[in-house]
Amino acid sequence: MKRILIFVFFLTFLVSFSQEKPANQDLKVGLVLSGGGAKGLAHVSVLKVLEEAGVRVDYIGGTSMGAIIGALYASGYTANQLDSILKVIDFDLILTDQMPRKSKPFYEKEIGEKYALSLPVKNKRVGIPRALSEGQSVLNLLTKLTQHVNNITDFNKLPIPFVCIATNLETGKQEILNSGFLPEAVKASGSFPTLLAPVEIDGKILTDGGIVNNFPVDEVISMGADIIIGVDIQSGLDKKDNLSSAVAIINQIVGFQMYNTLDYKYGKVDVLIKPDVTHYNVISFDKKKEIMKAGDEAAREHMDNLRAIAKQQTTKETPKINTKQLQYDISDIRIQGNLNYTRAYILGKLNLKKQDKTGYNKLIQSINNLYATGNFENVQYKILDDTENEEGSVLSLKVKEHRISNYLQLGAHFDDLYKTGIIINSTAKHLFNKNDIISADIILGDNIRYNFDYFIDNGFYTSFGVKSRYNSFNANLNFEQTNSNIEDSNVNEINLVYEDFTNQIYFQTVFNRKFALGVGGEHKHLKVFTETISSLESTVSANREKRLYFDNSDYLNLIAYLKIDTYDKKYFQKYGVFLDTEFRWFLNSSDYNSNFNSFSQLKGKFGLAYTFFDKLTTHFNSEAGITIGENNNRALDYNVGGYGENFINSFIPFFGYDLAELSANAFLKSGLTLRFEFLPKNYFSATANYTRVEPDLFNEGKIFENTKSGYMVGYGIDTFLGPIEINYSWSPDHSEKYWHFNVGYWF
């Protein structure tokens, strides 16, 4: 009996089609894909079943995630291709817009990686970011995946005509997007509130289309569809017990309007496919496999219906476009939208020039370089044919500069040397000149400090900068190592106060697209004293101040440096290379100790990190420093020992010894760290380091004599405040053991 009823149903189904359409006329199928964030991955499985049934899709309409999947399918991808692409995408990385660190400018790496919180300032008022992400990574991905149709601005001319829906934030009405730049339109449709920032198109501020029309049936019917297949991944409104997160609440608000119209829209759908995704939310991207399985199961329940539809279609194949990623010879670079940043600046950050050969992977890296400056809300790009050069291609860029140019940034830190500290930063961009940035830190706590930076970044051309810094700390040091010229048998250890006031003017250029080379002049005031043994000093000023000064001089210096930094992270590095070499020529001094002779110092640091099996990292580092000429001031010697990431001047960290316990006018140090990530962002570490600290380090080639060694084991966790670490170090050279503890970004 059941089989008879099914036969009668399909006979009626086919008869109705034959009545509506002449036998010789092809049946046009429209596909409607609803929004739903991660739940939209079910659409891919539905598409695979449609292809298996032989259904040819003639029109596609989608909203939000449905727009993303629909646009890719409309551009020429098969369902199997989409399945392969989406399974390997790291959606968490995409949605949070985490740019690779190597894309950041040198300046940002040096001064911008010490804040836990960054807040926009507009009209002298502190605000909050518009969303978790501006969506550049989403735009990059969509542009890359649709580059084979980037010349098509009328979505009706895609291999499958396409339309998507966005919401106008000013009017609250829907915007039908069927033309323009396809990745931009799709991104606007999928800009879920709080996750992705709204998109401006033709002067309209657009956001997630699911707010007003999450199931665009009428729009697909108007395109010419004879029959509608709808895939709805909406799960209905949540109960109060499930409204426990910001995402859930926003999703509930978005759903108020659309659920009121669903019955009306369902009435216009011929085949309604409803995957069971009630147990997932818009960010459940870690459940790809389960969501796709739900889509497959729901679609197969309608397999007979789908095959019946396919039989009414005379043409089975949809023309496909070659989606192979190509290489391009860049014959010209065209830029629009830049007001506060020059063409040279943009080209310098892109690291692209005319006549460069590039593919989309390299191009996206270049776009990331530009976006990572933090100066642009988004960067659109197309590869176009060069009408004047048959073999060349034009890179067309449309940039939108960030509307916020002022920021308030905050951070907190504790370590063994500087103790507690809270950093407050004010940053302003293009304040006096195009391409400039001004940053001021004030650090409050046990040791009050400040940093001031002004930099004009001219990209490929020479850039200009000014620095000013005051740094101070006090520490208990071995008296013998501090100054052997003073004898006091009753003192073994002194409390040393170290103050450094430095001002620099420098010029910097980037060459070979990787290295930063700089030269400049420097004024440095160095004050080093103790109150522990003030009675040994007989001068009137010392007796009055109750201090013994080791140095209280002003220095005029010339500086030069060469840097490269491709580390993937500031802390807990997994990959990359680091090089920082510095030359400082001490030309003149006010000479507090009356023993100054002009001399120079050359110091360099090298690091290499590599990770095996995604968990075990080896991190090699080496440092060396030499003094050229006669330096009679012990305060300017290299001081080796202790642990820290913010040591200044000639202080060098070394596990197994206390701060500045080893001191001389030259040193050589190497170390190897093994780091294992046993849980996400949780690390066990072990370090072995070796050093030689003594005059005439390289004399007669005996650089390994009198080598000191030290070892460390520790635990660290990477948090939003920065690294939190506890380390235990020792050396077989002596009986002392040390614990090192720090919280937050170093500053």
Side-chain angles (χ1 to χ4, degrees):
M1 184 66 181
K2 183 177 180 180
R3 293 185 177 182
I4 294 174
L5 291 174
I6 293 174
F7 175 77
V8 172
F9 171 79
F10 281 110
L11 183 62
T12 305
F13 191 70
L14 294 174
V15 169
S16 67
F17 284 157
S18 65
Q19 291 175 341
E20 293 176 7
K21 304 289 289 186
N24 62 347
Q25 188 170 346
D26 198 11
L27 185 70
K28 300 293 185 181
V29 174
L31 179 64
V32 181
L33 304 177
S34 78
K39 295 182 287 185
L41 295 173
H43 293 320
V44 178
S45 298
V46 174
L47 288 170
K48 292 172 72 175
V49 174
L50 292 181
E51 291 183 352
E52 183 182 336
V55 175
R56 185 199 71 237
V57 177
D58 299 288
Y59 307 101
I60 299 178
T63 300
S64 196
M65 192 64 169
I68 295 174
I69 303 297
L72 294 176
Y73 196 70
S75 74
Y77 288 96
T78 66
N80 282 326
Q81 287 175 321
L82 291 180
D83 182 81
S84 300
I85 291 170
L86 294 173
K87 280 183 177 178
V88 298
I89 292 175
D90 187 339
F91 284 95
D92 290 336
L93 193 65
I94 294 293
L95 290 175
T96 54
D97 245 1
Q98 296 181 29
M99 294 289 110
R101 184 176 178 272
K102 65 180 181 181
S103 297
K104 293 183 178 180
F106 282 100
Y107 180 86
E108 294 292 338
K109 291 177 183 178
E110 288 186 349
I111 74 163
E113 297 182 318
K114 54 191 175 184
Y115 311 111
L117 181 64
S118 182
L119 300 172
V121 178
K122 189 174 183 179
N123 298 326
K124 300 181 180 180
R125 294 183 178 181
V126 179
I128 59 174
R130 298 190 300 169
L132 177 65
S133 161
E134 290 289 344
Q136 182 64 45
S137 294
V138 174
L139 187 62
N140 285 351
L141 179 63
L142 293 172
T143 303
K144 177 183 178 181
L145 294 176
T146 61
Q147 54 88 18
H148 55 284
V149 293
N150 65 12
N151 290 318
I152 299 177
T153 57
D154 183 354
F155 301 166
N156 288 311
K157 295 181 179 180
L158 292 169
I160 302 175
F162 170 77
V163 67
C164 63
I165 305 299
T167 301
N168 189 316
L169 271 180
E170 288 186 293
T171 66
K173 298 179 179 180
Q174 77 169 19
E175 295 288 339
I176 299 174
L177 304 177
N178 53 17
S179 64
F181 185 46
L182 182 61
E184 183 182 50
V186 172
K187 177 174 173 282
S189 181
S191 293
F192 190 85
T194 72
L195 290 183
L196 294 176
V199 177
E200 183 176 343
I201 300 179
D202 297 331
K204 301 174 182 178
I205 306 299
L206 307 181
T207 190
D208 196 322
I211 299 173
V212 292
N213 186 359
N214 203 39
F215 201 59
V217 176
D218 291 330
E219 289 70 21
V220 176
I221 292 175
S222 66
M223 296 173 76
D226 301 311
I227 189 168
I228 297 294
I229 299 173
V231 187
D232 186 16
I233 54 174
Q234 304 169 88
S235 304
L237 296 174
D238 285 325
K239 302 297 182 182
K240 64 179 182 179
D241 293 341
N242 296 325
L243 300 174
S244 57
S245 68
V247 172
I249 294 172
I250 294 294
N251 194 47
Q252 187 86 340
I253 296 172
V254 169
F256 288 155
Q257 180 173 337
M258 65 185 180
Y259 289 122
N260 290 331
T261 62
L262 273 185
D263 289 341
Y264 162 78
K265 294 185 177 185
Y266 284 172
K268 298 187 175 185
V269 175
D270 298 283
V271 179
L272 179 62
I273 301 173
K274 286 273 298 178
D276 183 9
V277 289
T278 55
H279 301 296
Y280 312 104
N281 58 44
V282 295
I283 56 174
S284 298
F285 290 102
D286 58 330
K287 303 295 183 181
K288 293 180 188 178
K289 186 176 181 180
E290 295 90 337
I291 293 172
M292 287 185 171
K293 182 180 178 181
D296 180 81
E297 292 174 347
R300 292 190 179 280
E301 292 178 1
H302 301 270
M303 181 62 84
D304 291 336
N305 297 27
L306 298 175
R307 285 173 174 165
I309 294 171
K311 289 180 180 180
Q312 296 295 299
Q313 296 182 296
T314 57
T315 303
K316 299 301 180 184
E317 295 293 331
T318 299
K320 301 297 181 184
I321 293 180
N322 183 13
T323 59
K324 182 179 179 181
Q325 302 296 318
L326 304 174
Q327 292 285 321
Y328 303 94
D329 291 313
I330 305 299
S331 56
D332 193 15
I333 300 175
R334 300 170 186 172
I335 303 171
Q336 23 177 342
N338 56 309
L339 299 174
N340 295 303
Y341 297 94
T342 63
R343 175 180 173 87
Y345 174 87
I346 293 174
L347 292 177
K349 298 311 168 190
L350 285 172
N351 280 338
L352 278 177
K353 294 180 178 179
K354 293 182 180 180
Q355 311 308 318
D356 277 358
K357 192 176 186 67
T358 184
Y360 258 78
N361 288 335
K362 182 181 177 182
L363 178 58
I364 287 177
Q365 180 177 329
S366 297
I367 299 299
N368 286 343
N369 293 342
L370 181 59
Y371 181 73
T373 63
N375 298 324
F376 302 91
E377 290 185 5
N378 60 70
V379 182
Q380 293 182 18
Y381 53 98
K382 295 181 181 179
I383 296 289
L384 307 173
D385 294 333
D386 191 342
T387 56
E388 299 179 359
N389 184 355
E390 294 183 357
E391 297 183 355
S393 298
V394 175
L395 173 60
S396 176
L397 294 175
K398 183 179 179 182
V399 301
K400 183 179 181 182
E401 296 178 353
H402 213 295
R403 68 190 67 193
I404 303 297
S405 58
N406 298 286
Y407 297 89
L408 175 67
Q409 302 181 103
L410 305 169
H413 183 80
F414 173 85
D415 67 78
D416 300 322
L417 179 61
Y418 289 97
K419 307 303 179 185
T420 59
I422 297 175
I423 187 169
I424 303 172
N425 170 269
S426 177
T427 295
K429 298 181 178 182
H430 44 83
L431 186 64
F432 302 116
N433 291 281
K434 290 185 176 182
N435 311 342
D436 74 354
I437 180 171
I438 185 169
S439 172
D441 295 330
I442 180 76
I443 301 163
L444 306 176
D446 290 288
N447 293 276
I448 297 177
R449 294 162 283 157
Y450 86 83
N451 300 293
F452 173 85
D453 291 89
Y454 179 75
F455 190 60
I456 301 176
D457 193 339
N458 292 319
F460 278 129
Y461 301 113
T462 301
S463 301
F464 169 78
V466 176
K467 292 178 179 285
S468 182
R469 178 193 69 196
Y470 174 76
N471 194 313
S472 71
F473 63 82
N474 66 85
N476 293 322
L477 302 182
N478 183 285
F479 176 55
E480 181 181 353
Q481 288 296 129
T482 305
N483 196 320
S484 61
N485 297 323
I486 300 177
E487 298 180 0
D488 190 329
S489 59
N490 296 320
V491 179
N492 296 317
E493 189 177 73
I494 66 169
N495 182 263
L496 188 75
V497 179
Y498 190 97
E499 297 180 3
D500 176 276
F501 176 57
T502 298
N503 303 286
Q504 292 180 351
I505 298 177
Y506 63 98
F507 298 89
Q508 177 178 292
T509 188
V510 177
F511 70 96
N512 199 27
R513 311 187 188 184
K514 296 180 181 179
F515 296 90
L517 174 66
V519 296
E522 176 184 79
H523 163 260
K524 181 183 291 291
H525 180 77
L526 197 62
K527 183 186 294 186
V528 185
F529 64 90
T530 182
E531 297 177 348
T532 307
I533 50 177
S534 60
S535 62
L536 296 179
E537 179 61 54
S538 61
T539 66
V540 175
S541 63
N543 287 332
R544 184 174 62 248
E545 298 182 19
K546 298 182 179 180
R547 296 175 177 177
L548 171 64
Y549 285 88
F550 300 102
D551 196 9
N552 191 9
S553 304
D554 291 277
Y555 297 90
L556 293 179
N557 313 319
L558 294 179
I559 58 172
Y561 59 84
L562 175 66
K563 300 179 180 180
I564 183 173
D565 184 356
T566 66
Y567 279 156
D568 63 317
K569 297 190 292 184
K570 179 73 170 180
Y571 308 99
F572 306 118
Q573 302 91 350
K574 292 187 175 183
Y575 300 95
V577 175
F578 179 88
L579 175 68
D580 186 357
T581 59
E582 180 183 86
F583 175 80
R584 179 172 277 102
W585 185 4
F586 292 82
L587 294 173
N588 199 5
S589 171
S590 60
D591 199 7
Y592 175 83
N593 292 304
S594 302
N595 59 1
F596 176 79
N597 293 302
S598 180
F599 68 97
S600 56
Q601 290 183 328
L602 178 63
K603 182 174 66 174
K605 181 178 181 181
F606 171 79
L608 174 64
Y610 189 80
T611 296
F612 302 89
F613 315 114
D614 295 325
K615 298 293 184 182
L616 181 63
T617 300
T618 60
H619 190 184
F620 171 79
N621 65 82
S622 185
E623 287 187 73
I626 61 173
T627 300
I628 305 169
E630 186 177 357
N631 172 27
N632 298 313
N633 189 345
R634 296 290 303 275
L636 295 174
D637 276 351
Y638 296 106
N639 301 290
V640 180
Y643 175 64
E645 296 282 347
N646 193 39
F647 286 170
I648 62 172
N649 295 340
S650 55
F651 287 83
I652 313 296
F654 186 77
F655 286 118
Y657 282 77
D658 203 359
L659 179 71
E661 190 170 351
L662 304 173
S663 181
N665 63 9
F667 81 100
L668 177 64
K669 168 199 159 185
S670 293
L672 180 66
T673 297
L674 296 178
R675 187 181 301 116
F676 179 71
E677 187 176 11
F678 66 97
L679 290 173
K681 298 186 177 183
N682 287 259
Y683 305 88
F684 284 133
S685 315
T687 298
N689 56 188
Y690 306 90
T691 188
R692 186 172 179 232
V693 184
E694 58 185 68
D696 302 321
L697 182 67
F698 301 99
N699 188 36
E700 299 179 359
K702 299 178 180 180
I703 62 174
F704 298 108
E705 290 188 353
N706 302 321
T707 298
K708 309 293 185 182
S709 62
Y711 305 90
M712 181 279 293
V713 293
Y715 163 76
I717 179 171
D718 197 359
T719 74
F720 78 97
L721 288 174
I724 298 177
E725 294 179 283
I726 182 169
N727 299 316
Y728 175 75
S729 71
W730 73 96
S731 173
D733 304 331
H734 53 72
S735 60
E736 296 294 329
K737 309 293 188 291
Y738 304 96
W739 286 95
H740 309 286
F741 183 69
N742 71 269
V743 178
Y745 294 111
W746 290 86
F747 49 76

